[in-house]
Amino acid sequence: MGCVWFVGAGPGDPDLITVKGRALVEQAGAILFAGSLVDAAAARYAPAACRVQDSKAMTLEAISAWLIAAAGECETVVRLQTGDPGLYGALIEMTRPLDAAGIPWRVVPGVTSAMAAAAAAGESLTLPEVTQTVILTRVAGRTPMPDGEGLEALAAHHTTLCIYLSATLMPEVQRALGAAGWAPDAPILVVQKASWPGREQIVRGRLDDIHERCREAGIGAQAMIIASPALGAGGWAELTPSKLYDPAFGHRFRRAAPPDSDA
């Protein structure tokens, strides 16, 4: 009986798969990949004899049956998923049937699109004395949100929001943030297909005009929305420095400099 590995392929660039994830793909006897987003990684690194299947037209039951059958034939089976398997990846739904069938499985984390979008735009999701909290969420669509997790309630914290799966619902994002007290000129970042070679698109705007800017740029699905009080900090006149690198801040690797020292 083989092991099924749930491997995060990253946000789109095949080179952003982890070293461990790539090694598993290179030795896999069977790979089930999640749609066109990660097929480049499967095609680039899979061995010639590997059985490779796209899952985009498959139901959960069909995916489970495929993985179970493949584990009966191959030592290493890879379920290659977008971003990180534990985030909007239906991981538990796919592992429960494997547990029931007695098939071992493990997870290899991957780079999620929130991090790739921030990197593409040269932004930090946290900033000293501005925000130290990042909320990963989405807008309710056909899949509802649990009680207390509506975007308006989360936005009331005025921390960094990384909003997945919601680019087609931008008016609702604007409404929710506005109702939570975000100013009309609050900076908003939208990155479509973050890290995709030759296909990445970055749009910056304000809360009151980001929908129109995205419409003009032709951005619909596969885009990450970031709302944060830290956006644009690279151009600010002043920043509160991190205590970690302050000469007066001591820790176990460095002594604090005396108050009058130039060190």
Side-chain angles (χ1 to χ4, degrees), residues 51 72 127 132 142 192 243:
R51 175 185 171 193
L127 204 62
Q132 296 288 284
R142 287 191 293 178
Q192 184 179 46
K243 293 292 185 184

Side-chain angles (χ1 to χ4, degrees), residues 55-258:
S55 69
K56 65 175 176 286
M58 298 170 69
T59 64
L60 178 64
E61 290 74 16
I63 288 172
S64 298
W66 195 97
L67 293 173
I68 290 169
E73 301 170 0
C74 307
E75 181 178 351
T76 302
V77 178
V78 171
R79 166 58 176 171
L80 198 59
Q81 297 196 213
T82 305
D84 181 272
L87 188 61
Y88 304 118
L91 176 65
I92 302 305
E93 296 170 62
M94 286 185 280
T95 59
R96 282 164 57 90
L98 298 179
D99 285 337
I103 296 172
W105 58 270
R106 296 186 68 183
V107 180
V108 178
V111 177
T112 185
S113 58
M115 308 309 169
E123 296 284 357
S124 177
L125 300 179
T126 61
L127 204 62
E129 298 188 20
V130 175
T131 180
Q132 296 288 284
T133 301
V134 180
I135 297 175
L136 308 180
T137 189
R138 55 182 290 276
V139 173
R142 287 191 293 178
T143 300
M145 296 295 286
D147 289 343
E149 292 189 19
L151 184 57
E152 182 178 334
L154 299 178
H157 295 286
H158 290 265
T159 63
T160 294
L161 298 167
C162 296
I163 308 170
Y164 288 71
L165 307 169
S166 304
T168 58
L169 300 169
M170 189 65 77
E172 173 56 22
V173 173
Q174 290 174 299
R175 185 209 65 76
L177 268 62
W182 290 60
D185 63 352
I188 305 293
L189 171 68
V190 178
V191 182
Q192 184 179 46
K193 298 182 177 178
S195 85
W196 286 38
R199 301 180 69 181
E200 179 182 271
Q201 189 171 188
I202 299 172
V203 174
R204 295 180 183 270
R206 306 164 14 136
L207 180 59
D208 60 2
D209 69 6
I210 192 63
H211 183 217
E212 180 61 21
R213 287 177 180 266
C214 288
R215 190 190 65 79
E216 291 173 353
I219 290 179
Q222 295 179 317
M224 168 60 56
I225 304 168
I226 298 179
S228 173
L231 288 176
W236 294 358
E238 294 184 5
L239 289 176
T240 299
S242 170
K243 293 292 185 184
L244 180 62
Y245 305 109
D246 188 331
F249 184 80
H251 51 74
R252 66 192 181 101
F253 297 109
R254 187 187 70 225
R255 273 184 163 184

Side-chain angles (χ1 to χ4, degrees), residues 15-52:
D15 289 335
L16 285 181
I17 191 172
T18 65
V19 173
K20 184 170 185 176
R22 173 174 171 174
L24 286 165
V25 170
E26 289 174 337
Q27 69 186 49
I31 296 174
L32 184 65
F33 70 91
S36 60
L37 182 58
V38 296
D39 59 352
R44 181 178 298 186
Y45 304 128
C50 180
R51 175 185 171 193
V52 179

